[in-house]
Amino acid sequence: MIRFLSVSKRLNDDFELENVNFCLESGTTTALIGSSGSGKSTVLRLLSGLIQPDQGTIFVDGQNIFQGDLGLYRQKIGYMVQQGGLFPHLTVEQNVLIVGKYLKRDRELLADRLAALARMVSLPRQLLARYPHELSGGQKQRVGLLRALMLDPEILLLDEPLGALDPIVRHDLQQELKELFTQLEKTVLLVTHDLNEAQVLANHMLLMHQGTLVQDGHFSDFLQRPASSYVTKFFSACAQNLTASHKATT
Amino acid sequence: MLSLLLGLSGQLWAQSNTFTIGSKRFTESYILGEVIARIARQTDETKVVLRSGLGNTGILLAALKAGEIDIYPEYTGTITREILHSPAALDLEQINVLLEPMGLSASIVFGFNNTYALAMREELAEQLNIRSISDLKQHPHLRFGLTQEFIGRQDGWPGLKSLYGLGQTTPRGIDHGLVYQAIEAEQLDVMDAYTTDAMLKRYPLRILRDDLGYFPAYDALLLYRSDVPTRFPRTWRALQTLQNAVSAPAMIAMNSQAEQEKIGFARIAQDFLTKEKGPGNSRHFLGLLFADDFWRLLGEHARLVFVSLALSILCGIPLGVLCFEMPFFKQLVLSSVSVINTIPSLALFALFIPLLGMIGAAPAICALVLYGLLPIVRNTYSGLSDIPGDIQETTRMLGLGRAYRLYRIELPMSSRSILSGIKTSAVLNVGTATIAAFIGAGGFGERIAQGLALNDNAMLLTGAIPAAVFALLVHASFELSEKWLVPKGLRLSAKHAMSGMPADD
């Protein structure tokens, strides 16, 4: 279980995050939504231990993450950014295995896991010897996901995982991810600015605005019981897309 | 650490069993150096190395003391004034007593005196019946044209004027290269000259006798490390044949062969020793270019460039990383290496001579290392800074250790930029290394320095052309090496960026 307790983070004199509280149950998928600059990425960076909160505490499975070994903690996290965040000078296989090799994990076990995960994320084996610049956008995302899953993490943090993809590829990958999340039963926190994507992938949503958490709940709660006028405004802004995608998925 | 290593290599060099001869950067010294080298080689006693045109007295003396050379031709007057700083004239015995604490000795007087003198057109001197400097006093109307240096030196015109009572005359300052034409065109009547000046053979001039003994004797002789006679006994015996073997007219003739007839120093030395005169102009450009010293100069030049480049890389990349890791140091480091590049190269080379207490390759390499730093530090820093933000964040998120991230991700990703910095540094170093010849570091700059000293364009080009070709080759080999040194993925990425073609889904 992940818990943010009264977490604040300042950049110079401004709040990047102000008194944020939420709780994510293990094995669920949560979408963190909001416009640019709302503090979504700050939440992700705090949770990954890249930055420390100025106030408040972050608990993972009851432990304050900044009081233990951050290196060990990070091994429990799989991380993926837009475009996969792949290293251009390494082949797909080297990209995927880099952390395992750094941690001196058994090579055979790594190879077996790589083969299994490649099948799971539908990545053809012959792509393993290629370099990131020889891959399409969708293939890069699959590799990024594969790398995030390589060490079998308990938590998956995905920062705009399907951004910059064309609509068809995006739609297909959304479906694959949805199945994958259900199958893997990991705690997933997914940052997106796309309400449709949030609705498809997540069972739970957090809406951020100007560094504060505006509403926390199921998709239907946001429509039926908006916590503030901003929620309604945000949803109406996305309404056209939302209606279209709602029709498509029902 | 660097200076210690280089100092050590200098010492090892000093103790080697090679007989190393030096010479100064003017015609007469070049020729005498060749003469000594030829005699030494004929004995076949040991390996003989001639380091021609090393520099001025200070540099030759430092090299002699450090054991980088064993012997070089010098003048009694120079030893007395510049080395022993004695205001009074000294005889050879006194000179040797004072040289002893330095571990040096002087002997084997060649037999000519290359001192200052006053000279006049032969015809005018005959007409006015002037034979000595004292005779000038009777002719206050004579027009004096003297070099600036002679007018300024305390042991030049001021002393001469008061001793000979020539106060009624005001000399004109004139460049030594122009004074001969001025005398010939009868625009001047009296000039200062060196007694073995090559021009004395070309122009009909009368050297006026220094009847009051004003000018100190500048008898040419050998200055050497005191252990030379015992280390190289056969060579030393052979060198005795030079005692009183070179008269002033013979030296003037040899200087003239080099400066007027453009005959090579080695050839002049050979002709002198065999007493046979070779063909007038034996110098063919290609022959000069690939003369015996070509491979030695190439080796020296390559050593200067590549040793300094290796050290620049070893220091420059960590400094670039430091700038990236600790922004506090960035301004300090980048400004410092930029400031170094604004120091004139010869000044920086010269700065390391007293610091290391030696001349030659060691101070030159130190200076070249500093010069080579800027492109490497700057490009390492910019290469690291240009890594996209999402990649930087991912490397941190993956939980890789700092050193591993640097070695496996960040430096390889910056390799194109770093390599380009190294290439710039190497090409600049090939050029700057030519200046290292002025502090006795050798390389193709030796020929350039010699060409400048003798106003000999052919000689200058035999140094400048190989240096330029060397720079082009270094540039080309770095371009080719990119294929091996820059990771394939980055080369593909650059290709994709240029073509603007995304891969298909």
Side-chain angles (χ1 to χ4, degrees):
Chain A
M1 192 171 74
I2 297 168
R3 189 166 172 217
F4 268 51
L5 187 64
S6 307
V7 173
S8 295
K9 179 75 189 170
R10 281 189 193 81
L11 181 69
N12 301 324
D13 285 339
D14 295 332
F15 275 104
E16 270 191 81
L17 222 58
E18 189 176 4
N19 194 28
V20 170
N21 292 280
F22 63 80
C23 190
L24 309 180
E25 294 297 330
S26 297
T28 59
T29 299
T30 305
L32 185 53
I33 56 173
S35 50
S36 301
S38 59
K40 302 188 299 275
S41 294
T42 309
V43 169
L44 222 56
R45 296 174 80 212
L46 282 163
L47 184 55
S48 61
L50 278 183
I51 50 173
Q52 290 208 32
D54 295 322
Q55 277 157 18
T57 320
I58 300 165
F59 296 101
V60 170
D61 296 336
Q63 278 284 316
N64 179 346
I65 61 167
F66 293 100
Q67 280 178 354
D69 182 337
L70 262 181
L72 275 180
Y73 166 68
R74 285 212 183 105
Q75 290 173 27
K76 288 206 274 186
I77 296 180
Y79 183 74
M80 177 196 169
V81 294
Q82 198 175 345
Q83 296 274 337
L86 303 180
F87 306 126
H89 63 296
L90 301 179
T91 62
V92 167
E93 185 167 353
Q94 289 168 330
N95 260 290
V96 171
L97 294 180
I98 189 163
V99 185
K101 283 190 174 169
Y102 170 70
L103 297 171
K104 299 195 168 50
R105 296 282 168 89
D106 184 87
R107 279 170 189 259
E108 271 183 37
L109 288 180
L110 285 176
D112 290 347
R113 180 149 179 86
L114 173 61
L117 284 174
R119 272 195 304 276
M120 192 186 282
V121 302
S122 313
L123 188 78
R125 269 200 82 82
Q126 65 268 26
L127 292 189
L128 292 180
R130 293 209 186 155
Y131 287 93
H133 280 275
E134 297 170 304
L135 303 182
S136 67
Q139 288 165 340
K140 281 182 196 167
Q141 307 286 46
R142 288 171 203 273
V143 176
L145 186 65
L146 209 163
R147 183 172 66 189
L149 291 170
M150 194 62 206
L151 295 182
D152 199 14
E154 292 166 25
I155 301 166
L156 264 183
L157 302 181
L158 310 177
D159 194 353
E160 300 279 3
L162 305 180
L165 288 183
D166 69 59
I168 297 172
V169 180
R170 192 174 180 129
H171 177 262
D172 291 349
L173 262 175
Q174 274 176 7
Q175 297 308 318
E176 285 182 40
L177 279 180
K178 189 177 169 67
E179 284 166 31
L180 204 65
F181 293 159
T182 318
Q183 192 183 335
L184 292 171
E185 295 184 340
K186 298 203 179 293
T187 312
V188 180
L189 181 60
L190 155 86
V191 166
T192 180
H193 64 274
D194 181 342
L195 209 53
N196 175 34
E197 192 167 293
Q199 187 203 356
V200 172
L201 294 173
N203 357 65
H204 191 92
M205 289 207 301
L206 303 172
L207 175 63
M208 305 275 306
H209 178 56
Q210 292 180 343
T212 57
L213 182 60
V214 183
Q215 189 161 357
D216 171 2
H218 290 280
F219 185 76
S220 55
D221 296 338
F222 285 77
L223 286 177
Q224 291 157 15
R225 289 178 291 278
S228 72
S229 59
Y230 177 76
V231 180
T232 320
K233 200 174 156 194
F234 186 83
F235 270 63
S236 10
C238 305
Q240 205 172 351
N241 281 343
L242 186 67
T243 315
S245 75
H246 204 64
K247 279 180 185 164
T249 49
T250 51
Chain B
M1 183 66 186
L2 174 66
S3 31
L4 191 74
L5 274 176
L6 293 169
L8 199 66
S9 71
Q11 288 305 311
L12 288 174
W13 188 1
Q15 283 157 13
S16 76
N17 210 27
T18 305
F19 184 60
T20 311
I21 301 143
S23 67
K24 293 192 187 179
R25 197 170 294 124
F26 55 84
T27 311
E28 193 165 290
S29 197
Y30 280 118
I31 296 172
L32 293 175
E34 287 284 354
V35 169
I36 299 165
R38 282 198 167 260
I39 293 176
R41 285 192 185 112
Q42 279 165 8
T43 65
D44 226 4
E45 182 178 34
T46 183
K47 189 184 168 202
V48 176
V49 171
L50 172 61
R51 302 183 70 194
S52 291
L54 267 186
N56 61 12
T57 309
I59 285 179
L60 269 291
L61 182 66
L64 195 63
K65 283 179 176 173
E68 287 166 32
I69 57 172
D70 293 301
I71 194 165
Y72 79 92
E74 190 47 284
Y75 303 90
T76 49
T78 311
I79 298 177
T80 306
R81 278 156 203 271
E82 292 186 41
I83 298 178
L84 300 173
H85 306 292
S86 162
L90 301 171
D91 63 25
L92 193 53
E93 204 175 317
Q94 291 168 313
I95 284 176
N96 272 310
V97 169
L98 294 170
L99 282 176
E100 201 186 343
M102 300 183 204
L104 306 179
S105 305
S107 68
I108 309 186
V109 176
F110 288 107
F112 68 89
N113 175 16
N114 181 5
T115 185
Y116 275 118
L118 291 189
M120 290 180 69
R121 267 196 321 282
E122 178 65 42
E123 183 194 272
L124 181 67
E126 187 58 41
Q127 189 188 324
L128 300 175
N129 195 25
I130 298 174
R131 302 200 175 276
S132 66
I133 299 175
S134 294
D135 297 338
L136 289 173
K137 202 176 173 185
Q138 316 304 321
H139 303 279
H141 60 279
L142 288 174
R143 295 159 301 175
F144 281 53
L146 307 176
T147 55
Q148 305 287 5
E149 190 195 353
F150 186 77
I151 294 173
R153 280 174 74 132
Q154 199 49 45
D155 58 346
W157 174 247
L160 186 78
K161 183 173 72 175
S162 59
L163 182 68
Y164 282 98
L166 299 174
Q168 78 278 31
T169 310
T170 306
R172 280 169 61 186
I174 186 165
D175 183 81
H176 193 67
L178 301 174
V179 74
Y180 291 96
Q181 284 99 315
I183 286 269
E184 193 177 34
E186 301 186 13
Q187 289 166 339
L188 290 173
D189 303 316
V190 183
M191 62 177 283
D192 61 314
Y194 302 103
T195 47
T196 54
D197 199 318
M199 294 294 185
L200 294 176
K201 192 171 164 69
R202 180 163 161 189
Y203 294 94
L205 293 174
R206 177 181 289 183
I207 296 282
L208 304 184
R209 199 158 48 79
D210 180 17
D211 50 330
L212 297 183
Y214 172 72
F215 292 116
Y218 278 79
D219 291 311
L221 81 176
L222 293 177
L223 181 62
Y224 52 93
R225 291 172 66 81
S226 300
D227 57 4
V228 164
T230 49
R231 275 170 64 213
F232 310 104
R234 273 199 290 139
T235 306
W236 185 246
R237 268 199 305 282
L239 287 173
Q240 301 294 326
T241 55
L242 282 174
Q243 181 82 35
N244 286 320
V246 189
S247 64
M251 195 66 242
I252 293 172
M254 286 196 278
N255 285 338
S256 168
Q257 280 180 311
E259 290 180 21
Q260 317 296 323
E261 299 169 45
K262 305 287 182 200
I263 298 175
F265 302 133
R267 186 52 185 263
I268 295 170
Q270 185 189 336
D271 290 348
F272 168 75
L273 290 172
T274 54
K275 309 288 179 207
E276 286 169 16
K277 197 158 178 350
N281 194 341
S282 63
R283 302 196 325 165
H284 183 265
F285 186 75
L286 274 181
L288 272 182
L289 185 64
F290 295 106
D292 294 345
D293 61 353
F294 181 82
W295 296 109
R296 172 181 68 85
L297 296 177
L298 177 64
E300 287 172 350
H301 210 105
R303 179 179 66 165
L304 287 174
V305 171
F306 293 119
V307 172
S308 62
L309 183 67
L311 293 168
S312 291
I313 294 171
L314 281 178
C315 304
I317 293 180
L319 280 174
V321 171
L322 181 76
C323 292
F324 175 67
E325 286 290 307
M326 301 182 183
F328 170 76
F329 285 106
K330 181 189 134 193
Q331 208 52 41
L332 180 75
V333 173
L334 286 178
S335 315
S336 306
V337 290
S338 301
V339 164
I340 290 169
N341 275 48
T342 62
I343 303 175
S345 42
L346 193 55
L348 193 63
F349 282 124
L351 207 66
F352 277 99
I353 297 176
L355 280 178
L356 296 184
M358 63 198 297
I359 60 145
I365 286 172
C366 287
L368 288 172
V369 169
L370 290 185
Y371 268 121
L373 279 180
L374 178 63
I376 298 177
V377 175
R378 194 183 47 202
N379 279 31
T380 304
Y381 170 74
S382 64
L384 291 170
S385 308
D386 289 347
I387 295 176
D390 61 325
I391 300 272
Q392 287 193 30
E393 184 136 324
T394 305
T395 57
R396 292 167 65 200
M397 261 313 299
L398 290 177
L400 305 172
R402 186 66 200 99
Y404 192 81
R405 253 154 55 198
L406 194 64
Y407 149 80
R408 194 77 179 95
I409 311 283
E410 291 164 347
L411 285 177
M413 281 191 68
S414 318
S415 56
R416 187 184 291 275
S417 172
I418 296 174
L419 192 67
S420 143
I422 293 174
K423 180 173 68 185
T424 309
S425 173
V427 172
L428 284 177
N429 264 7
V430 175
T432 317
T434 54
I435 297 169
F438 287 91
I439 62 162
F444 290 119
E446 209 171 86
R447 288 179 174 181
I448 296 176
Q450 198 169 319
L452 285 172
L454 303 179
N455 197 17
D456 180 345
N457 287 337
M459 177 61 78
L460 201 143
L461 286 175
T462 59
I465 290 173
V469 171
F470 190 13
L472 290 174
L473 285 176
V474 166
H475 188 268
S477 54
F478 270 100
E479 293 282 322
L480 287 175
S481 70
E482 215 174 71
K483 199 175 165 187
W484 291 282
L485 295 174
V486 173
K488 187 183 170 194
L490 289 184
R491 281 183 277 125
L492 283 172
S493 125
K495 220 183 274 176
H496 276 285
M498 274 167 71
S499 66
M501 278 169 51
D504 294 330
D505 268 302

